Amino acid sequence: MDPRLQTYVVEDNLTIRENLIGTLEELTCATVVGFAETESGAREWLRDHAGEWDLAIVDLFLKQGSGLGVLQACQARSPSQKVVVLSNYATPDIRRRCAEFGVDAVFDKSNEIDALVDFCLVQANALRAAG
């Protein structure tokens, strides 16, 4: 059996979220297990489903709150759980701030989607090897 990368998406833009989910599920071994549009919604889901995800993909600018608050909530995650940021604002300063929260990678929405897909494939292969 091919283990799927249980993925949680924090993205408030419907079009981007739908395209991202479609891309991940088509090109990688990812299954999106949930999503949130707000910081509070994401924090609540992550708290209630602590061991039920392998990868969280977080946008920094949300309808309510900030992706930085979501990253803070992810700091207590298991070492096998990965958190990445997907943002239009992947500046050196933002990348530094994300590193302070223990983020595994930061990807720019405009030109690093292929790198995100590659990251997901690596994580899925690691899951397969561990399982």
Side-chain angles (χ1 to χ4, degrees):
M1 189 167 125
D2 192 24
R4 308 284 295 168
L5 194 61
Q6 304 299 302
T7 305
Y8 186 68
V9 175
V10 183
E11 170 62 63
D12 64 348
N13 182 298
L14 177 64
T15 302
I16 292 172
R17 186 174 64 242
E18 287 179 344
N19 288 334
L20 176 63
I21 290 170
T23 298
L24 292 175
E25 291 186 340
E26 182 179 334
L27 299 179
T28 72
C29 293
T31 297
V32 174
V33 294
F35 71 87
E37 297 182 334
T38 64
E39 177 184 341
S40 60
R43 291 174 74 104
E44 180 179 327
W45 191 93
L46 290 163
R47 181 190 68 236
D48 294 346
H49 301 88
E52 300 174 25
W53 57 276
D54 303 309
L55 172 66
I57 301 173
V58 181
D59 185 17
L60 296 179
F61 296 94
L62 304 172
K63 283 186 178 177
Q64 173 274 320
S66 165
L68 293 175
V70 178
L71 300 180
Q72 184 179 30
C74 290
Q75 286 185 299
R77 70 188 183 275
S78 155
S80 65
Q81 292 174 308
K82 304 299 179 192
V83 176
V84 301
V85 168
L86 182 63
S87 176
N88 285 323
Y89 303 96
T91 64
D93 184 52
I94 289 293
R95 291 176 190 271
R96 258 190 313 281
R97 297 266 324 264
C98 291
E100 292 170 6
F101 284 104
V103 168
D104 295 287
V106 177
F107 301 101
D108 190 305
K109 285 181 183 177
S110 62
N111 61 13
E112 294 183 321
I113 297 297
D114 289 343
L116 172 62
V117 168
D118 291 343
F119 181 91
C120 291
L121 290 170
V122 168
Q123 297 311 310
N125 286 334
L127 252 186
R128 194 175 303 119

